[in-house]
mmCIF file of all heavy atoms in Angstrom:
data_model
loop_
_atom_site.group_PDB
_atom_site.id
_atom_site.type_symbol
_atom_site.label_atom_id
_atom_site.label_comp_id
_atom_site.label_asym_id
_atom_site.label_seq_id
_atom_site.Cartn_x
_atom_site.Cartn_y
_atom_site.Cartn_z
ATOM 1 N N ALA A 33 17.768 -88.342 -157.891
ATOM 2 C CA ALA A 33 18.065 -88.752 -156.587
ATOM 3 C C ALA A 33 19.553 -89.285 -156.509
ATOM 4 O O ALA A 33 20.201 -89.085 -155.450
ATOM 5 C CB ALA A 33 17.214 -89.929 -156.189
ATOM 6 N N GLY A 34 20.147 -89.690 -157.555
ATOM 7 C CA GLY A 34 21.529 -90.237 -157.448
ATOM 8 C C GLY A 34 22.589 -89.211 -157.748
ATOM 9 O O GLY A 34 23.802 -89.491 -157.558
ATOM 10 N N LEU A 35 22.237 -87.975 -158.149
ATOM 11 C CA LEU A 35 23.158 -87.003 -158.506
ATOM 12 C C LEU A 35 24.052 -86.539 -157.356
ATOM 13 O O LEU A 35 25.228 -86.432 -157.535
ATOM 14 C CB LEU A 35 22.506 -85.752 -159.169
ATOM 15 C CG LEU A 35 23.350 -84.605 -159.541
ATOM 16 C CD1 LEU A 35 24.447 -85.051 -160.547
ATOM 17 C CD2 LEU A 35 22.550 -83.406 -160.118
ATOM 18 N N PRO A 36 23.475 -86.096 -156.198
ATOM 19 C CA PRO A 36 24.307 -85.709 -155.155
ATOM 20 C C PRO A 36 25.422 -86.641 -154.768
ATOM 21 O O PRO A 36 26.599 -86.305 -154.451
ATOM 22 C CB PRO A 36 23.348 -85.367 -153.989
ATOM 23 C CG PRO A 36 22.074 -85.097 -154.689
ATOM 24 C CD PRO A 36 21.991 -86.043 -155.902
ATOM 25 N N GLU A 37 25.048 -87.882 -154.686
ATOM 26 C CA GLU A 37 26.003 -88.956 -154.244
ATOM 27 C C GLU A 37 27.091 -89.056 -155.288
ATOM 28 O O GLU A 37 28.303 -89.381 -154.960
ATOM 29 C CB GLU A 37 25.368 -90.250 -153.993
ATOM 30 C CG GLU A 37 26.264 -91.288 -153.418
ATOM 31 C CD GLU A 37 26.877 -90.918 -152.169
ATOM 32 O OE1 GLU A 37 26.360 -90.098 -151.332
ATOM 33 O OE2 GLU A 37 28.084 -91.417 -151.975
ATOM 34 N N SER A 38 26.810 -88.965 -156.592
ATOM 35 C CA SER A 38 27.776 -89.172 -157.645
ATOM 36 C C SER A 38 28.756 -87.995 -157.462
ATOM 37 O O SER A 38 29.972 -88.241 -157.648
ATOM 38 C CB SER A 38 27.096 -88.947 -159.005
ATOM 39 O OG SER A 38 26.264 -90.137 -159.327
ATOM 40 N N LEU A 39 28.260 -86.846 -157.191
ATOM 41 C CA LEU A 39 29.144 -85.587 -157.006
ATOM 42 C C LEU A 39 30.080 -85.781 -155.787
ATOM 43 O O LEU A 39 31.233 -85.448 -155.782
ATOM 44 C CB LEU A 39 28.359 -84.322 -156.981
ATOM 45 C CG LEU A 39 27.631 -83.949 -158.173
ATOM 46 C CD1 LEU A 39 26.610 -82.823 -157.937
ATOM 47 C CD2 LEU A 39 28.651 -83.573 -159.359
ATOM 48 N N ARG A 40 29.438 -86.368 -154.701
ATOM 49 C CA ARG A 40 30.349 -86.605 -153.501
ATOM 50 C C ARG A 40 31.402 -87.646 -153.748
ATOM 51 O O ARG A 40 32.540 -87.417 -153.302
ATOM 52 C CB ARG A 40 29.407 -86.907 -152.323
ATOM 53 C CG ARG A 40 28.498 -85.975 -151.921
ATOM 54 C CD ARG A 40 27.634 -86.324 -150.688
ATOM 55 N NE ARG A 40 26.523 -85.388 -150.401
ATOM 56 C CZ ARG A 40 25.302 -85.609 -150.584
ATOM 57 N NH1 ARG A 40 24.936 -86.818 -151.035
ATOM 58 N NH2 ARG A 40 24.431 -84.641 -150.296
ATOM 59 N N ARG A 41 31.052 -88.711 -154.463
ATOM 60 C CA ARG A 41 32.151 -89.696 -154.741
ATOM 61 C C ARG A 41 33.193 -89.138 -155.698
ATOM 62 O O ARG A 41 34.344 -89.361 -155.548
ATOM 63 C CB ARG A 41 31.394 -90.942 -155.444
ATOM 64 C CG ARG A 41 30.532 -91.761 -154.551
ATOM 65 C CD ARG A 41 30.230 -93.092 -155.126
ATOM 66 N NE ARG A 41 29.661 -93.027 -156.434
ATOM 67 C CZ ARG A 41 28.299 -93.079 -156.664
ATOM 68 N NH1 ARG A 41 27.525 -93.376 -155.588
ATOM 69 N NH2 ARG A 41 27.810 -93.012 -157.943
ATOM 70 N N LEU A 42 32.728 -88.244 -156.612
ATOM 71 C CA LEU A 42 33.708 -87.650 -157.532
ATOM 72 C C LEU A 42 34.644 -86.749 -156.789
ATOM 73 O O LEU A 42 35.906 -86.789 -157.050
ATOM 74 C CB LEU A 42 33.014 -86.888 -158.632
ATOM 75 C CG LEU A 42 33.866 -86.293 -159.705
ATOM 76 C CD1 LEU A 42 34.524 -87.365 -160.452
ATOM 77 C CD2 LEU A 42 32.932 -85.436 -160.729
ATOM 78 N N ARG A 43 34.196 -86.059 -155.783
ATOM 79 C CA ARG A 43 35.055 -85.230 -154.980
ATOM 80 C C ARG A 43 36.130 -86.085 -154.319
ATOM 81 O O ARG A 43 37.258 -85.551 -154.228
ATOM 82 C CB ARG A 43 34.253 -84.525 -153.871
ATOM 83 C CG ARG A 43 33.477 -83.329 -154.365
ATOM 84 C CD ARG A 43 32.645 -82.660 -153.217
ATOM 85 N NE ARG A 43 33.506 -82.235 -152.096
ATOM 86 C CZ ARG A 43 32.978 -81.621 -151.018
ATOM 87 N NH1 ARG A 43 31.661 -81.392 -150.928
ATOM 88 N NH2 ARG A 43 33.841 -81.275 -150.126
ATOM 89 N N VAL A 44 35.852 -87.259 -153.865
ATOM 90 C CA VAL A 44 36.889 -88.075 -153.288
ATOM 91 C C VAL A 44 37.912 -88.433 -154.241
ATOM 92 O O VAL A 44 39.150 -88.453 -153.857
ATOM 93 C CB VAL A 44 36.187 -89.322 -152.679
ATOM 94 C CG1 VAL A 44 37.279 -90.339 -152.116
ATOM 95 C CG2 VAL A 44 35.317 -89.038 -151.521
ATOM 96 N N LEU A 45 37.477 -88.762 -155.483
ATOM 97 C CA LEU A 45 38.425 -89.142 -156.533
ATOM 98 C C LEU A 45 39.374 -87.972 -157.019
ATOM 99 O O LEU A 45 40.574 -88.279 -157.367
ATOM 100 C CB LEU A 45 37.770 -89.807 -157.584
ATOM 101 C CG LEU A 45 37.081 -91.153 -157.481
ATOM 102 C CD1 LEU A 45 36.228 -91.490 -158.785
ATOM 103 C CD2 LEU A 45 38.101 -92.175 -157.238
ATOM 104 N N CYS A 46 38.854 -86.825 -157.015
ATOM 105 C CA CYS A 46 39.552 -85.722 -157.575
ATOM 106 C C CYS A 46 40.046 -84.687 -156.492
ATOM 107 O O CYS A 46 40.333 -83.501 -156.799
ATOM 108 C CB CYS A 46 38.857 -84.998 -158.754
ATOM 109 S SG CYS A 46 37.297 -84.133 -158.143
ATOM 110 N N GLY A 47 40.197 -85.104 -155.303
ATOM 111 C CA GLY A 47 40.665 -84.234 -154.294
ATOM 112 C C GLY A 47 39.778 -83.006 -153.959
ATOM 113 O O GLY A 47 40.298 -81.858 -153.783
ATOM 114 N N ASP A 48 38.485 -83.131 -154.256
ATOM 115 C CA ASP A 48 37.503 -82.029 -153.915
ATOM 116 C C ASP A 48 37.409 -81.081 -155.037
ATOM 117 O O ASP A 48 36.603 -80.092 -154.946
ATOM 118 C CB ASP A 48 37.863 -81.245 -152.667
ATOM 119 C CG ASP A 48 37.315 -81.853 -151.368
ATOM 120 O OD1 ASP A 48 36.323 -82.529 -151.489
ATOM 121 O OD2 ASP A 48 37.855 -81.694 -150.339
ATOM 122 N N ALA A 49 38.143 -81.221 -156.183
ATOM 123 C CA ALA A 49 38.104 -80.213 -157.303
ATOM 124 C C ALA A 49 36.790 -80.446 -158.176
ATOM 125 O O ALA A 49 36.848 -80.793 -159.304
ATOM 126 C CB ALA A 49 39.252 -80.408 -158.177
ATOM 127 N N VAL A 50 35.635 -80.091 -157.483
ATOM 128 C CA VAL A 50 34.359 -80.167 -158.165
ATOM 129 C C VAL A 50 33.629 -78.932 -157.781
ATOM 130 O O VAL A 50 33.413 -78.540 -156.661
ATOM 131 C CB VAL A 50 33.456 -81.328 -157.671
ATOM 132 C CG1 VAL A 50 32.089 -81.422 -158.447
ATOM 133 C CG2 VAL A 50 34.185 -82.668 -158.006
ATOM 134 N N ALA A 51 33.130 -78.149 -158.842
ATOM 135 C CA ALA A 51 32.412 -76.872 -158.660
ATOM 136 C C ALA A 51 31.218 -76.814 -159.576
ATOM 137 O O ALA A 51 31.225 -77.342 -160.646
ATOM 138 C CB ALA A 51 33.437 -75.817 -158.968
ATOM 139 N N ILE A 52 30.264 -76.047 -159.045
ATOM 140 C CA ILE A 52 29.109 -75.662 -159.904
ATOM 141 C C ILE A 52 29.337 -74.242 -160.391
ATOM 142 O O ILE A 52 29.722 -73.354 -159.535
ATOM 143 C CB ILE A 52 27.760 -75.789 -159.118
ATOM 144 C CG1 ILE A 52 27.550 -77.174 -158.653
ATOM 145 C CG2 ILE A 52 26.594 -75.266 -159.927
ATOM 146 C CD1 ILE A 52 27.348 -78.119 -159.723
ATOM 147 N N VAL A 53 29.232 -73.938 -161.649
ATOM 148 C CA VAL A 53 29.375 -72.617 -162.199
ATOM 149 C C VAL A 53 27.974 -72.308 -162.895
ATOM 150 O O VAL A 53 27.687 -72.867 -163.945
ATOM 151 C CB VAL A 53 30.534 -72.556 -163.226
ATOM 152 C CG1 VAL A 53 30.627 -71.150 -163.749
ATOM 153 C CG2 VAL A 53 31.792 -73.048 -162.609
ATOM 154 N N THR A 54 27.188 -71.444 -162.293
ATOM 155 C CA THR A 54 25.767 -71.305 -162.694
ATOM 156 C C THR A 54 25.340 -69.843 -162.730
ATOM 157 O O THR A 54 26.003 -68.984 -162.101
ATOM 158 C CB THR A 54 25.008 -72.142 -161.641
ATOM 159 O OG1 THR A 54 23.451 -71.975 -162.031
ATOM 160 C CG2 THR A 54 25.187 -71.630 -160.239
ATOM 161 N N GLY A 55 24.273 -69.627 -163.341
ATOM 162 C CA GLY A 55 23.654 -68.403 -163.242
ATOM 163 C C GLY A 55 22.723 -68.199 -162.035
ATOM 164 O O GLY A 55 22.401 -67.079 -161.661
ATOM 165 N N ARG A 56 22.499 -69.325 -161.284
ATOM 166 C CA ARG A 56 21.688 -69.227 -160.109
ATOM 167 C C ARG A 56 22.420 -68.632 -158.930
ATOM 168 O O ARG A 56 23.651 -68.655 -158.911
ATOM 169 C CB ARG A 56 21.225 -70.631 -159.724
ATOM 170 C CG ARG A 56 20.246 -71.227 -160.617
ATOM 171 C CD ARG A 56 19.898 -72.652 -160.029
ATOM 172 N NE ARG A 56 18.785 -73.287 -160.843
ATOM 173 C CZ ARG A 56 17.537 -73.463 -160.487
ATOM 174 N NH1 ARG A 56 17.139 -72.796 -159.373
ATOM 175 N NH2 ARG A 56 16.660 -74.052 -161.281
ATOM 176 N N PRO A 57 21.711 -68.009 -157.922
ATOM 177 C CA PRO A 57 22.372 -67.695 -156.767
ATOM 178 C C PRO A 57 22.914 -68.874 -155.981
ATOM 179 O O PRO A 57 22.441 -70.020 -156.068
ATOM 180 C CB PRO A 57 21.255 -66.988 -155.959
ATOM 181 C CG PRO A 57 20.213 -66.590 -157.012
ATOM 182 C CD PRO A 57 20.307 -67.695 -158.053
ATOM 183 N N ILE A 58 24.004 -68.704 -155.268
ATOM 184 C CA ILE A 58 24.681 -69.746 -154.454
ATOM 185 C C ILE A 58 23.640 -70.384 -153.496
ATOM 186 O O ILE A 58 23.702 -71.673 -153.425
ATOM 187 C CB ILE A 58 25.837 -69.243 -153.748
ATOM 188 C CG1 ILE A 58 26.901 -68.905 -154.802
ATOM 189 C CG2 ILE A 58 26.335 -70.243 -152.765
ATOM 190 C CD1 ILE A 58 28.178 -68.212 -154.171
ATOM 191 N N ALA A 59 22.793 -69.643 -152.865
ATOM 192 C CA ALA A 59 21.868 -70.337 -151.967
ATOM 193 C C ALA A 59 20.935 -71.308 -152.611
ATOM 194 O O ALA A 59 20.567 -72.346 -151.980
ATOM 195 C CB ALA A 59 21.046 -69.156 -151.222
ATOM 196 N N GLN A 60 20.521 -71.023 -153.852
ATOM 197 C CA GLN A 60 19.737 -72.058 -154.480
ATOM 198 C C GLN A 60 20.400 -73.357 -154.752
ATOM 199 O O GLN A 60 19.879 -74.468 -154.654
ATOM 200 C CB GLN A 60 19.190 -71.425 -155.799
ATOM 201 C CG GLN A 60 18.149 -70.296 -155.656
ATOM 202 C CD GLN A 60 17.659 -69.783 -156.933
ATOM 203 O OE1 GLN A 60 17.809 -70.447 -158.047
ATOM 204 N NE2 GLN A 60 16.969 -68.715 -156.923
ATOM 205 N N VAL A 61 21.719 -73.257 -155.172
ATOM 206 C CA VAL A 61 22.480 -74.518 -155.369
ATOM 207 C C VAL A 61 22.628 -75.229 -154.084
ATOM 208 O O VAL A 61 22.490 -76.464 -154.016
ATOM 209 C CB VAL A 61 23.849 -74.182 -156.059
ATOM 210 C CG1 VAL A 61 24.614 -75.490 -156.298
ATOM 211 C CG2 VAL A 61 23.671 -73.331 -157.365
ATOM 212 N N ASP A 62 22.902 -74.540 -153.000
ATOM 213 C CA ASP A 62 23.035 -75.214 -151.649
ATOM 214 C C ASP A 62 21.742 -75.957 -151.340
ATOM 215 O O ASP A 62 21.806 -77.039 -150.762
ATOM 216 C CB ASP A 62 23.290 -74.103 -150.619
ATOM 217 C CG ASP A 62 24.845 -73.761 -150.503
ATOM 218 O OD1 ASP A 62 25.616 -74.553 -150.890
ATOM 219 O OD2 ASP A 62 25.144 -72.790 -150.024
ATOM 220 N N ALA A 63 20.591 -75.349 -151.620
ATOM 221 C CA ALA A 63 19.322 -75.963 -151.276
ATOM 222 C C ALA A 63 19.081 -77.195 -152.118
ATOM 223 O O ALA A 63 18.492 -78.177 -151.671
ATOM 224 C CB ALA A 63 18.180 -75.005 -151.464
ATOM 225 N N LEU A 64 19.541 -77.146 -153.411
ATOM 226 C CA LEU A 64 19.294 -78.270 -154.331
ATOM 227 C C LEU A 64 20.312 -79.398 -154.316
ATOM 228 O O LEU A 64 19.974 -80.569 -154.551
ATOM 229 C CB LEU A 64 19.175 -77.760 -155.828
ATOM 230 C CG LEU A 64 17.942 -76.823 -155.916
ATOM 231 C CD1 LEU A 64 18.153 -75.982 -157.277
ATOM 232 C CD2 LEU A 64 16.677 -77.610 -156.125
ATOM 233 N N LEU A 65 21.533 -79.013 -153.934
ATOM 234 C CA LEU A 65 22.658 -79.996 -153.857
ATOM 235 C C LEU A 65 23.388 -79.786 -152.483
ATOM 236 O O LEU A 65 24.590 -79.498 -152.478
ATOM 237 C CB LEU A 65 23.623 -79.785 -155.049
ATOM 238 C CG LEU A 65 23.173 -80.150 -156.441
ATOM 239 C CD1 LEU A 65 24.181 -79.799 -157.471
ATOM 240 C CD2 LEU A 65 22.795 -81.570 -156.574
ATOM 241 N N PRO A 66 22.733 -80.027 -151.438
ATOM 242 C CA PRO A 66 23.468 -79.749 -150.105
ATOM 243 C C PRO A 66 24.695 -80.727 -149.950
ATOM 244 O O PRO A 66 24.650 -81.818 -150.072
ATOM 245 C CB PRO A 66 22.409 -80.119 -149.100
ATOM 246 C CG PRO A 66 21.410 -80.994 -149.805
ATOM 247 C CD PRO A 66 21.390 -80.600 -151.252
ATOM 248 N N ASP A 67 25.832 -79.993 -149.709
ATOM 249 C CA ASP A 67 27.103 -80.506 -149.382
ATOM 250 C C ASP A 67 27.573 -81.489 -150.452
ATOM 251 O O ASP A 67 28.387 -82.312 -150.268
ATOM 252 C CB ASP A 67 26.967 -81.338 -148.087
ATOM 253 C CG ASP A 67 26.540 -80.523 -146.911
ATOM 254 O OD1 ASP A 67 27.007 -79.409 -146.791
ATOM 255 O OD2 ASP A 67 25.650 -81.000 -146.194
ATOM 256 N N ALA A 68 27.168 -81.249 -151.684
ATOM 257 C CA ALA A 68 27.512 -82.151 -152.774
ATOM 258 C C ALA A 68 28.776 -81.777 -153.505
ATOM 259 O O ALA A 68 29.487 -82.474 -154.046
ATOM 260 C CB ALA A 68 26.393 -82.319 -153.760
ATOM 261 N N VAL A 69 29.121 -80.379 -153.594
ATOM 262 C CA VAL A 69 30.256 -79.981 -154.372
ATOM 263 C C VAL A 69 31.054 -79.097 -153.427
ATOM 264 O O VAL A 69 30.583 -78.647 -152.356
ATOM 265 C CB VAL A 69 29.859 -79.128 -155.616
ATOM 266 C CG1 VAL A 69 28.994 -79.955 -156.520
ATOM 267 C CG2 VAL A 69 29.028 -77.898 -155.225
ATOM 268 N N TYR A 70 32.329 -78.889 -153.815
ATOM 269 C CA TYR A 70 33.321 -78.086 -152.966
ATOM 270 C C TYR A 70 33.144 -76.578 -153.197
ATOM 271 O O TYR A 70 33.143 -75.916 -152.195
ATOM 272 C CB TYR A 70 34.715 -78.586 -153.340
ATOM 273 C CG TYR A 70 35.764 -77.941 -152.501
ATOM 274 C CD1 TYR A 70 36.043 -78.568 -151.314
ATOM 275 C CD2 TYR A 70 36.416 -76.833 -152.860
ATOM 276 C CE1 TYR A 70 36.990 -77.984 -150.408
ATOM 277 C CE2 TYR A 70 37.386 -76.246 -152.077
ATOM 278 C CZ TYR A 70 37.757 -76.795 -150.840
ATOM 279 O OH TYR A 70 38.619 -76.299 -149.972
#
Side-chain angles (χ1 to χ4, degrees):
L35 177 61
E37 185 57 31
S38 292
L39 293 170
R40 294 185 189 107
R41 289 196 303 261
L42 186 60
R43 282 178 59 180
V44 173
L45 289 175
C46 68
D48 275 334
V50 180
I52 299 296
V53 183
T54 178
R56 285 180 180 261
I58 290 173
Q60 289 186 11
V61 180
D62 277 336
L64 292 163
L65 292 175
D67 303 316
V69 298
Y70 186 82

